Amino acid sequence: MTTAADHAAEDLLRELAPQVLGTLVRRYGVFDACEDAVQEALLAATLQWPEAGVPDNPRGWLVTVASRKLVDRIRSDSARRRREDALALATPRAELLGHAADTVPDADRDDSLALLFLCCHPALSPAGRIALTLRAVGGLTTVQIAAAFLVPEATMAQRISRAKQTVKASGTSLAMPEGADLAERLAEVRHVLYLVFNEGYTTTGSADLTAPELSTEAIRLTRMLHRLVPDDTETAGLLALMLLTDARRPARTGPSGELVPLAEQDRSRWDRRLVTEGVGLISRTLPRGRVGPYQLQAAIAAVHDEAEDTDATDWPQILALYELLERFGPNPMVTLNRAVAVAMVHGPATGLGLLTALETDHRLARHHRLLATRAHLLELLGEHEAAAASYREAARRTTSTPERRHLSTRAHRLEARAQPGEKCR
């Protein structure tokens, strides 16, 4: 039976994982071998700490154990003899001999941010960045990551291995980028965390609507990033967006796991603690003047979360925010959401007019969300036959089982309104 102490120890290990890996990479410079050694140290802690207790200096314990694992790994491979010699020369003798784990000075710098940049290196594929970030910075095992993304463990292991080899081949060191490169790389880190959160909030190919462990991990890592770069307004905006969105998760599914759309959710089930934190964060961030896409999305989420119900939602304000969001560049998903806001302010016929242009955008033309939105607006206009057909087509195109059931149910309800032998109205 898992106890509160076990959860606390697991949370501590996840927090320390990037710090320990950063220390080893800075000290020894071999990312792939260091990452493996840290994973072994985390496993050792998982097995030993529940019985022996958490050390007085848990980070020092992990650094010492991981260092020993790394040296043992290098020494055991005769093909790496030259690397061992170089490592031995570069490493103080006291480190190789080791000392009591709890007596290691805990003065090493926290390289978590530099490690995030390394795991989100431009040379990596998006999937590789996500997998490596969750393992190296998040401290998740390959098994946990594979289960979250519904792929075989062997597939995820290969993905992580390729990512580590790519980092190794790039010759990139554990160093903070500077100048314009810093802003660009920070944006890549935010995007990876955003993708992880989105996959957790609405899975792309699962029997379940959500994967809470991914959303929770994305929020934890974004909190860490915000702590490391407190003056970056877009990171603050991303964290606020995650908090305000995840607050609704308890009400997004019904008793049988069915999807419950925003307009029909029981808002008393929303996590008001997260709403309060998210609203407070974005309220403090927006006045600072450097507004970006994540901040605007968080502001939109805040307007939704502060409304008592759909009718009380300030749709004109949401529409104005989407119009500002579109100024950051063409994005069909933003335009799709703006069409809904337009429909709520100016009527569904006007909203449908905006959808026509999206039908020629190859990024969204066959996306189920475009069809589902069209169906919703047609339903509001009373065009039930056309709405039912759009819901059916949207259901065929989605890869999410709960979304497919929801869309099919909407279509069936509209079709059932017609009398036998009559068309839907």
Side-chain angles (χ1 to χ4, degrees):
M1 181 177 178
T2 303
T3 65
D6 293 333
H7 283 301
E10 182 179 346
D11 291 342
L12 178 60
L13 288 173
R14 300 270 286 279
E15 179 182 344
L16 293 176
Q19 300 177 32
V20 175
L21 179 55
T23 297
L24 260 68
V25 172
R26 183 170 293 282
R27 184 179 296 174
Y28 303 116
V30 280
F31 175 80
D32 54 338
C34 287
E35 201 279 327
D36 289 336
V38 171
Q39 286 291 323
E40 291 183 42
L42 293 173
L43 177 59
T46 301
L47 296 174
Q48 295 179 35
W49 290 6
E51 293 185 5
V54 177
D56 292 336
N57 179 6
R59 175 174 166 175
W61 191 99
L62 289 168
V63 169
T64 298
V65 172
S67 296
R68 290 172 178 168
K69 297 284 187 183
L70 176 63
V71 172
D72 289 343
R73 178 184 290 266
I74 294 175
R75 284 175 171 169
S76 67
D77 190 346
S78 59
R80 297 182 179 181
R81 182 63 58 188
R82 292 183 180 178
R83 180 185 294 175
E84 178 189 4
D85 293 341
L87 182 64
L89 289 172
T91 305
R93 179 58 53 184
E95 291 290 349
L96 292 177
L97 295 175
H99 30 248
D102 287 354
T103 65
V104 178
D106 194 20
D108 285 318
R109 59 190 291 177
D110 186 350
D111 288 308
S112 298
L113 182 57
L115 188 61
L116 266 170
F117 285 129
L118 189 64
C119 291
C120 297
H121 193 278
L124 295 171
S125 67
R129 294 178 192 178
I130 290 172
L132 196 57
T133 297
L134 289 176
R135 180 170 154 116
V137 187
L140 273 67
T141 66
T142 303
V143 174
Q144 289 173 316
I145 303 170
F149 282 92
L150 303 174
V151 299
E153 180 184 351
T155 300
M156 186 55 69
Q158 290 176 350
R159 187 176 298 173
I160 293 171
S161 178
R162 285 195 300 269
K164 291 197 292 186
Q165 290 305 311
T166 299
V167 170
K168 180 180 179 180
S170 71
T172 305
S173 61
L174 189 69
M176 288 289 294
E178 299 178 352
D181 190 39
L182 173 61
E184 182 178 344
R185 295 286 297 280
L186 184 56
E188 291 168 353
V189 171
R190 287 194 299 260
H191 185 59
V192 166
L193 298 178
Y194 181 67
L195 292 175
V196 173
F197 178 82
N198 281 346
E199 181 61 27
Y201 193 69
T202 303
T203 59
T204 55
S206 172
D208 297 320
L209 180 65
T210 65
E213 64 278 10
L214 284 180
S215 297
T216 300
E217 182 61 16
I219 291 174
R220 189 185 74 83
L221 291 176
T222 306
R223 285 188 188 279
M224 181 186 78
L225 182 62
H226 178 51
R227 185 176 67 249
L228 295 171
V229 287
D231 294 329
D232 184 71
T233 53
E234 272 294 81
T235 298
L238 176 60
L239 177 57
L241 173 62
M242 289 181 178
L243 296 172
L244 291 164
T245 304
D246 202 56
R248 306 174 202 149
R249 181 156 47 88
R252 291 187 70 225
T253 53
S256 301
E258 68 274 16
L259 184 152
V260 180
L262 179 62
E264 301 172 17
Q265 288 175 16
D266 178 0
R267 301 190 178 205
S268 67
R269 297 183 60 198
W270 288 1
D271 189 328
R272 288 295 160 186
R273 178 184 59 83
L274 292 182
V275 172
T276 300
E277 182 183 0
V279 169
L281 181 57
I282 194 59
S283 297
R284 294 190 301 272
T285 302
L286 281 174
R288 294 167 65 180
R290 299 189 299 274
V291 177
Y294 289 124
Q295 295 169 73
L296 290 172
Q297 291 179 72
I300 292 169
V303 175
H304 279 298
D305 285 13
E306 290 184 304
E308 293 183 0
D309 51 45
T310 300
D311 292 337
T313 302
D314 189 345
W315 286 105
Q317 184 179 359
I318 289 178
L319 177 56
L321 289 168
Y322 273 123
E323 289 172 346
L324 286 175
L325 190 56
E326 281 191 313
R327 295 181 185 179
F328 284 90
N331 184 319
M333 198 59 72
V334 172
T335 303
L336 182 64
N337 288 324
R338 182 168 71 88
V340 175
V342 166
M344 299 302 293
V345 175
H346 302 296
T350 308
L352 277 170
L354 291 178
L355 298 186
T356 303
L358 291 175
E359 293 175 351
T360 60
D361 190 318
H362 69 279
R363 294 169 295 177
L364 202 64
R366 296 187 59 79
H367 200 287
H368 74 278
R369 295 200 188 283
L370 175 59
L371 286 162
T373 302
R374 173 175 289 280
H376 175 61
L377 298 186
L378 287 169
E379 183 179 359
L380 292 178
L381 283 172
E383 301 287 344
H384 294 161
E385 181 180 8
S390 287
Y391 277 131
R392 290 287 184 197
E393 184 61 24
R396 283 192 287 269
R397 294 186 185 181
T398 183
T399 57
S400 167
T401 300
E403 285 189 330
R404 183 181 302 114
R405 286 199 298 262
H406 169 71
L407 293 167
S408 297
T409 299
R410 297 297 286 256
H412 178 72
R413 287 175 180 172
L414 289 177
E415 292 165 348
R417 291 183 183 181
Q419 295 296 324
E422 296 181 2
K423 292 184 177 180
C424 297
R425 288 184 174 273

